[in-house]
Amino acid sequence: MQSITEIKSLRSQIKAWRQQGLSIAFVPTMGNLHQGHFSLVEKAKTLADKVVVSIFVNPMQFGANEDLSTYPRTLDQDKQGLADLDTDIVFTPTVETIYPNGHAEQTFVDVPGVSERHCGGARPGHFRGVATVVCKLFNLVQPDFACFGEKDFQQLQVIKAMVKDLSIPVEVIGVPTQREVSGLAMSSRNGYLTEAEKDQAKVLYQTLKHAADSILEGELNFDAIRNKAITDLTEAGLVADYFNIAQRDTLKPATLKDSDFVILAAAFLGKVRLIDNIQVSI
Ligand code: PAF
């Protein structure tokens, strides 16, 4: 595995592969890799000749009071995991390489519509930061395919919309969420939780599943489903940030005319903000 930090070296390797007619799949990450990320790399390997993984904790997508400074950084361990999977390149640029003028002075990408609700409402500027860095990374890596986890379902829809709107020549692939045996979605932020809290946190997925089952059983009073879910989360000691039933593709509030839904939830367990979602079709 090549470990690259400079744009120039990355571009020259990408160019060489292109001259040999090789295809490239890309997995952007913020590091602290777990089985969820590794499943993206495994998927990427099935899609293309070469796999590039980036590790970059992107300051532009963190709000002022969020966990940028404490975000878990485990670079040596991450590189070992990627080498074990025969990743071709791990790209680990510095903040100065990605944002030489600082990210306040950076040209940005805003994706209207799908960015606006859910995490976009709760974390203003978050998806601008995500779309901007992913657009920039796409320009650097120029992949044929890029893999994103469905755990960040809104992020996946934002990237798909950006690629379509800006005619970026990459196929965006969503990969199913990896879960603990308890159902808890794998996430770097689970590392902030004690074992007891991890057990408590499984209620988030249980609540989503219960809501999806209610829809499948014919319950279409979305407010009632939502209120019950928030009560269940609260009783389990979590503080709901949002629990929304949305149209799967637009992420707008679900209506009685829809048949493909995604239920998106975010909740705090102490200071840790957990997100998860479930898709349901009737
Ligand atoms: O999902 C993530 O880890 C990040 O949001 C991403 C896509 C790597 C952009 O920084």
Side-chain angles (χ1 to χ4, degrees):
M1 182 176 76
Q2 291 185 64
S3 186
I4 296 181
T5 52
E6 300 302 327
I7 287 178
K8 206 171 160 209
S9 323
L10 178 70
R11 284 201 193 279
S12 86
Q13 179 59 80
I14 300 285
K15 192 173 170 193
W17 285 342
R18 287 294 179 207
Q19 281 166 348
Q20 293 165 49
L22 299 172
S23 58
I24 300 168
F26 176 45
V27 181
T29 80
M30 297 206 301
N32 193 235
L33 305 181
H34 49 68
Q35 192 45 47
H37 299 105
F38 296 140
S39 73
L40 302 180
V41 177
E42 272 155 10
K43 178 70 187 176
K45 286 181 67 174
T46 68
L47 295 168
D49 300 312
K50 297 289 178 187
V51 173
V52 178
V53 177
S54 62
I55 297 180
F56 177 65
V57 182
N58 174 31
M60 194 174 171
Q61 70 188 73
F62 286 78
N65 300 316
E66 295 182 358
D67 55 347
L68 174 62
S69 61
T70 57
Y71 196 82
R73 287 157 169 91
T74 50
L75 192 55
D76 291 343
Q77 192 185 309
D78 294 348
K79 283 186 178 174
Q80 188 56 57
L82 293 173
D84 291 348
L85 286 177
D86 285 331
T87 303
D88 295 283
I89 290 181
V90 59
F91 178 52
T92 56
T94 62
V95 173
E96 292 70 32
T97 298
I98 295 295
Y99 301 119
N101 302 319
H103 62 85
E105 294 285 306
Q106 166 73 34
T107 301
F108 56 77
V109 180
D110 262 343
V111 182
V114 282
S115 291
E116 278 157 24
R117 301 174 174 83
H118 323 296
C119 279
R123 302 180 68 190
H126 171 65
F127 287 118
R128 171 183 293 182
V130 170
T132 301
V133 81
V134 171
C135 184
K136 178 146 182 155
L137 291 166
F138 281 177
N139 285 332
L140 296 173
V141 178
Q142 300 184 19
D144 302 280
F145 302 94
C147 300
F148 292 83
E150 285 179 353
K151 168 168 175 283
D152 297 298
F153 192 82
Q154 188 174 14
Q155 168 172 283
L156 174 63
Q157 299 299 59
V158 167
I159 302 301
K160 282 186 177 168
M162 174 184 80
V163 160
K164 186 162 174 254
D165 289 354
L166 299 181
S167 306
I168 302 177
V170 57
E171 191 176 328
V172 176
I173 310 287
V175 179
T177 305
Q178 297 289 308
R179 299 185 178 280
E180 306 287 352
V181 177
S182 68
L184 176 66
M186 290 190 185
S187 164
S188 298
R189 290 190 167 99
N190 293 354
Y192 297 138
L193 303 174
T194 63
E195 286 308 310
E197 285 170 329
K198 275 189 198 156
D199 192 54
Q200 204 181 343
K202 70 186 182 200
V203 72
L204 185 59
Y205 183 58
Q206 288 170 348
T207 309
L208 284 164
K209 213 162 166 332
H210 189 263
D213 288 344
S214 303
I215 293 176
L216 286 174
E217 283 158 18
E219 170 66 272
L220 289 176
N221 183 338
F222 300 136
D223 282 343
I225 295 175
R226 184 170 180 272
N227 292 341
K228 162 95 178 81
I230 290 176
T231 304
D232 289 349
L233 290 171
T234 310
E235 280 174 1
L238 277 70
V239 178
D241 194 8
Y242 63 77
F243 191 99
N244 296 336
I245 304 172
Q247 297 172 359
R248 190 190 58 198
D249 296 329
T250 64
L251 302 189
K252 288 183 180 156
T255 72
L256 295 177
K257 290 188 195 137
D258 298 316
S259 50
D260 294 318
F261 305 96
V262 58
I263 312 173
L264 303 139
F268 286 94
L269 180 49
K271 285 191 176 143
V272 183
R273 186 172 179 279
L274 302 166
I275 65 169
D276 201 353
N277 65 82
I278 193 167
Q279 297 177 52
V280 54
S281 294
I282 53 173

